[in-house]
Amino acid sequence: MNRFHLFAAALLMLPLAAGAADLRVAVSDGPATPSTLYIALYDSAATYAATQPLASQTAPLRNGAAQVAFLGLPPGRYALRAFADENGNGKMDANMLGIPTERYGFSNDARGVMGPPGFDAVALPVDAADVATTLHLH
C-alpha cells in the first residue's frame, strides 16, 4: 500500500514537472576585475514594479562573465534585472542624481528612460522548453 501511495504521488506531480523549464542566463560585459553579480527574476509586472523577485542569485563575475540558471519554472513571462557589485558593498551604487555607478542590465537588453524599462520590454517567454538568454551589463 505504501508503494501505491508513492506511485500515485509521482503520477500527480508528473504534469507539473512536464511543464517546467529552466532559464539559463549568460551574463557578459561586466567589469574585468573580480566582482559579484546580483541577478533577480520576476514573474509579473506587479512584482517587477515592486522589486519583489520570485528568485534571486549571486554569482562571481570572472573576466566580466557569469552563468546562472533558474530551474523548474512554470510556463509564463519572466523578467531579469542584474548588476555587478564592483566595490563589494552588496548594493547597486548610484550618484547623487540616482544614476547607477555600477554596471547593470535587464533581459532583452532593454533600456529605460529616466528609470528602469517596463516589464513588457524585459519579459522573456518561458514555456515547456528550456530557454537560454544573454544579458549584457552596461
Side-chain angles (χ1 to χ4, degrees), residues 107-120:
S107 42
N108 295 330
D109 284 332
R111 292 203 184 194
V113 177
M114 302 299 287
F119 182 79
D120 288 335

Side-chain angles (χ1 to χ4, degrees), residues 9-76:
L11 284 178
L12 289 174
M13 295 178 77
L14 190 58
L16 296 174
D22 298 341
L23 174 59
R24 301 193 183 280
V25 184
V27 177
S28 64
D29 301 325
T33 57
S35 56
T36 301
L37 173 74
Y38 285 77
I39 187 164
L41 177 75
Y42 301 87
D43 63 349
S44 71
T47 60
Y48 177 78
T51 61
Q52 297 173 333
L54 172 68
S56 62
Q57 295 184 33
T58 60
L61 275 163
R62 303 264 193 262
N63 297 319
Q67 303 273 334
V68 297
F70 294 95
L71 307 176
L73 298 174

Side-chain angles (χ1 to χ4, degrees), residues 1 14 16 31 47 76 78 84 105 130 137:
M1 186 92 121
L14 190 58
L16 296 174
T47 60
Y78 295 91
D130 292 346
L137 299 177

